Amino acid sequence: MKKIDLEYICRVIGNLAGIPIRIYKNASQIFYYSVVDIPADPIKPYVEHVLEITEEVGYFTTPYFNYYGIVRSDICTVVLGPSRQTPMNERDMRSLAFECDLSPERAEEFISAMKSLVQMPLGSILQILCTMNYVMNGEKLSLEDVSIFDFEQM
């Protein structure tokens, strides 16, 4: 099997989905791509929780109902998101900006950028995760095989 250019695949998925995507190796981020310029990565308050997921494929839901998809392999971990099915309200975006340690000026940029992220049904995110798992691990999964984690479980 040919060596997979995972960064290329992540850029393509990021472009198609319209949401940020990252690659981690040993809990250190080695790649980040987003079509939207966000002043701070919205995963910041949750990255430890997301990376604690040990299953090969799963997703994490934040208290703001944003979700992050995760796919693990022996070599690295890919994290996609945030996305959500409905628009995030302004108060929650301000709270998230605060949790990301942004100044009030940068918070306005953050809110504007967050409004630009694509809202996507969870089923579509899960399909992307199953596809990424096949690319990374050679394993075909169905939606029922994806593990769910939320902030209250952690």
Side-chain angles (χ1 to χ4, degrees):
M1 185 175 193
K2 284 184 172 181
K3 185 177 188 256
I4 297 167
D5 186 344
L6 197 54
E7 289 184 13
Y8 168 77
I9 291 170
C10 286
R11 267 191 224 89
V12 170
I13 287 174
N15 285 327
L16 288 169
I19 55 180
I21 192 165
R22 306 147 195 85
I23 302 173
Y24 293 88
K25 192 168 195 169
N26 301 323
S28 294
Q29 186 175 300
I30 60 169
F31 176 82
Y32 175 85
Y33 180 76
S34 177
V35 294
V36 177
D37 184 21
I38 307 172
D41 191 344
I43 200 173
K44 184 178 180 182
Y46 310 105
V47 67
E48 289 178 21
H49 298 296
V50 173
L51 293 177
E52 285 174 357
I53 296 170
T54 57
E55 280 72 9
E56 279 187 352
V57 182
Y59 71 93
F60 177 83
T61 304
T62 74
Y64 302 114
F65 304 104
N66 290 320
Y67 36 84
Y68 292 89
I70 184 168
V71 180
R72 292 189 170 283
S73 74
D74 293 338
I75 299 168
C76 65
T77 301
V78 172
V79 178
L80 176 70
S83 189
R84 54 186 296 123
Q85 296 186 85
T86 60
M88 191 173 186
N89 69 52
E90 186 115 358
R91 185 188 76 232
D92 288 348
M93 284 189 276
R94 285 193 188 288
S95 295
L96 182 55
F98 177 79
E99 291 176 31
C100 289
D101 299 321
L102 290 171
S103 68
E105 299 80 31
R106 298 288 290 182
E108 294 305 318
E109 294 174 52
F110 180 84
I111 290 167
S112 178
M114 289 294 288
K115 288 178 180 177
S116 299
L117 293 178
V118 172
Q119 296 168 39
M120 186 174 290
L122 183 56
S124 297
I125 294 289
L126 299 180
Q127 291 288 356
I128 293 170
L129 297 178
C130 289
T131 302
M132 285 299 295
N133 184 64
Y134 183 67
V135 168
M136 293 168 62
N137 297 312
E139 179 184 23
K140 295 178 183 178
L141 298 177
S142 66
L143 299 185
E144 296 81 34
D145 298 318
V146 179
S147 300
I148 305 165
F149 300 88
D150 63 38
F151 192 73
E152 283 75 35
Q153 288 179 318
M154 302 312 255

